[in-house]
């Protein structure tokens, strides 16, 4: 039993006693990262490893966290996490603990933004719950004979205007309502993206 195994190994052995234990630990790990507490995050990572949690399960959660909780505040977080995850999966435990710890500490120590998950979830909610206008004609595919006769014309190529030109991209009803899904924070790198977008749309009276 557990006590005999622990005595034989001369160390404390932790097993998952309930089916939801690992999910509680994953939850605690993510919330500690979200709360910018690298010490707590590493603690829960260690408990997951010692508890025998599946390596891929830990890696999947860290990959999600990189986009859900850090996102545009530090866009490189997803690339660094992916590199750590791939290294961990290739190396395997026990050495993989080092790769996982690097990812966890980096994520916990990074500026935070949940703008990616809120943007996509709000967009999905609109699509599922309401009737939305068709794609504007000037945005539809025009690479075929007869497209112009169908009214597919009028698209302005941004690169021909220095990289940006003011034109409508959202469907008519969403555009007229001034819908915005992406609301950037001023945290970390996202602050520079926010300033860039605000500069582009400073004369846009509809979508505020």
């Amino acid at each position: 039993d557990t006590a005999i195994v622990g005595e034989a190994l001369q160390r404390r052995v932790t097993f998952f006693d309930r089916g939801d234990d690992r999910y509680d630990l994953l939850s605690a790990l993510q919330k500690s990262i979200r709360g910018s507490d690298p010490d707590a995050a590493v603690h829960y990572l260690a408990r997951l490893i010692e508890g025998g949690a599946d390596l891929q399960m830990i890696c999947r959660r860290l990959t999600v966290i990189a986009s859900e909780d850090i996102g545009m505040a530090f866009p490189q977080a997803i690339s660094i996490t992916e590199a750590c995850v791939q290294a961990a999966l290739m190396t395997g435990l026990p050495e993989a603990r080092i790769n996982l710890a690097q990812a966890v500490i980096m994520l916990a120590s990074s500026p935070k933004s949940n703008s990616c998950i809120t943007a996509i979830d709000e967009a999905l909610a609109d699509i599922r719950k309401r009737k939305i206008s068709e794609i504007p004609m000037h945005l539809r595919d025009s690479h075929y004979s007869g497209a112009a006769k169908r009214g597919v014309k009028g698209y302005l190529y941004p690169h021909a205007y220095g990289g940006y030109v003011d034109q409508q991209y959202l469907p008519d009803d969403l555009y007229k309502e001034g819908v915005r899904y992406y609301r950037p924070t001023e945290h970390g790198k996202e602050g520079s993206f926010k300033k860039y977008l605000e500069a582009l749309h400073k004369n846009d009276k509809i979508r505020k």
Side-chain angles (χ1 to χ4, degrees):
D1 58 22
T2 303
I4 294 174
V5 174
E7 183 179 353
L9 293 176
Q10 290 298 297
R11 70 188 185 111
R12 181 177 178 181
V13 179
T14 303
F15 293 96
F16 293 119
D17 295 323
R18 303 188 309 274
D20 61 351
D21 279 356
R22 67 193 64 192
Y23 299 108
D24 285 342
L25 288 173
L26 285 170
S27 176
L29 171 66
Q30 181 164 5
K31 289 171 181 173
S32 296
I33 290 174
R34 185 181 296 150
S36 299
D37 190 332
D39 300 302
V42 168
H43 169 79
Y44 291 116
L45 172 64
R47 287 177 65 168
L48 281 161
I49 293 172
E50 282 296 286
D54 179 66
L55 184 58
Q56 289 193 354
M57 180 173 65
I58 299 173
C59 290
R60 284 196 299 269
R61 181 60 66 97
L62 293 178
T63 303
V64 171
I65 292 170
S67 292
E68 179 179 348
D69 293 304
I70 286 78
M72 295 298 291
F74 182 38
Q76 296 91 334
I78 185 65
S79 298
I80 297 172
T81 301
E82 180 64 19
C84 290
V85 162
Q86 289 302 319
L89 293 173
M90 179 180 68
T91 303
L93 290 168
E95 289 84 358
R97 74 191 189 283
I98 308 168
N99 309 120
L100 296 177
Q102 179 181 353
V104 165
I105 291 170
M106 181 273 298
L107 292 170
S109 303
S110 296
K112 307 297 188 295
S113 171
N114 71 339
S115 61
C116 292
I117 186 173
T118 57
I120 187 61
D121 284 353
E122 289 180 18
L124 286 170
D126 272 353
I127 291 171
R128 291 166 179 166
K129 296 178 181 179
R130 57 181 293 184
K131 185 176 180 180
I132 297 174
S133 303
E134 296 296 327
I135 299 171
M137 292 301 292
H138 63 282
L139 297 184
R140 300 185 189 189
D141 181 26
S142 61
H143 295 89
Y144 61 92
S145 177
K149 291 181 179 179
R150 292 186 59 241
V152 183
K153 56 185 177 180
Y155 172 66
L156 302 178
Y157 187 58
H159 297 293
Y161 296 84
Y164 174 77
V165 61
D166 185 20
Q167 66 183 325
Q168 177 183 338
Y169 292 98
L170 279 169
D172 288 343
D173 48 356
L174 298 182
Y175 179 75
K176 292 175 182 178
E177 291 175 22
V179 168
R180 285 201 184 277
Y181 297 117
Y182 177 53
R183 292 183 289 277
T185 70
E186 296 182 356
H187 303 159
K189 297 287 186 179
E190 193 165 29
S192 61
F193 293 111
K194 180 179 180 181
K195 290 179 181 178
Y196 172 72
L197 291 172
E198 287 177 344
L200 292 181
H201 298 294
K202 62 183 179 180
N203 295 321
D204 190 339
K205 297 181 180 180
I206 296 180
R207 296 179 62 210
K208 294 295 184 184

